[in-house]
Amino acid sequence: MSSSFKYAMCSAIVAFSLAACGTGPAEVESKPAAKVRHQLDAERNRVWLLTGQGVAIYDAAAPDRVLRVPLPGWQFAGEPYGCLPGLALGPQGEAVISSDVVPVLWRVDPETLAVTRHEPRLTADTDKDVGFTALSYSSEQGAFLAVSGAHGTVWRIDRQLRQAQRMVRQVPREKGCGPRN
């Protein structure tokens, strides 16, 4: 990864973190920076940032151009009420965003930026409120993996985002939100 791309990525993350605070420069020091999810797409030279309004895409080749993609019907609780929603890049460069409140996923096409909404069928816990956090793509499994922050359950979601299968493994509740990225 080139040093200019690393610099551009860091600049984008800092800029969006500060912008998410909604405060002027004098107030930034007294408030913590907003926590955001981000993913680096080195193949397309861009950074995907999850914001309160949807996804922002920062293109390192055009630093003044930021694309904003709203997620229709997106619901999330986030901190301090729950875990942050997940953001993962799939095998074709698509961004997949979760809700931490309901079992719904949004897919953003990497070329057209078209958004599709998916409600995977749960194989278990249909009587519980299940939202997905700590979302990531596993090339070994050919599927997305997620954690339900409220329950600590681990889920395997197929690439087509049609089915979410609860796995036997569970994470301790206090660590249910998974690693921040």
Side-chain angles (χ1 to χ4, degrees):
M1 182 184 324
S2 73
S3 61
S4 62
F5 187 60
K6 285 181 188 177
Y7 176 77
M9 182 181 82
C10 290
S11 297
I13 292 168
V14 168
F16 278 104
S17 294
L18 294 176
C21 292
T23 61
E27 297 178 49
V28 170
E29 291 180 28
S30 65
K31 295 184 179 180
K35 292 181 178 163
V36 296
R37 297 264 189 203
H38 69 278
Q39 288 291 325
L40 169 64
D41 184 353
E43 184 177 322
R44 289 169 190 77
N45 206 26
R46 58 169 75 152
V47 178
W48 295 76
L49 297 163
L50 189 57
T51 70
Q53 291 73 43
V55 180
I57 305 160
Y58 177 82
D59 186 345
D64 294 339
R65 185 173 161 217
V66 177
L67 303 171
R68 292 181 182 1
V69 180
L71 304 172
W74 188 42
Q75 301 175 46
F76 68 95
E79 294 179 330
Y81 308 104
C83 302
L84 293 174
L87 166 65
L89 295 183
Q92 305 300 317
E94 71 275 20
V96 175
I97 298 95
S98 69
S99 167
D100 61 336
V101 179
V102 292
V104 177
L105 301 162
W106 288 260
R107 181 190 181 279
V108 181
D109 183 271
E111 304 304 322
T112 65
L113 304 182
V115 178
T116 53
R117 185 177 187 272
H118 304 266
E119 294 184 38
R121 185 178 61 81
L122 301 179
T123 61
D125 294 345
T126 55
D127 61 332
K128 295 180 175 70
D129 291 332
V130 175
F132 300 120
T133 63
L135 186 65
S136 64
Y137 181 75
S138 168
S139 55
E140 295 84 29
Q141 294 204 21
F144 292 90
L145 300 176
V147 173
S148 170
H151 309 289
T153 52
V154 179
W155 296 82
R156 181 186 184 279
I157 304 167
D158 68 286
R159 277 181 55 180
Q160 293 75 32
L161 309 177
R162 292 185 188 134
Q163 181 172 306
Q165 178 182 11
R166 182 175 166 186
M167 300 174 73
V168 176
R169 199 176 105 208
Q170 200 161 338
V171 294
R173 184 120 188 229
E174 65 273 5
K175 295 181 183 176
C177 290
R180 303 261 184 248
N181 63 347

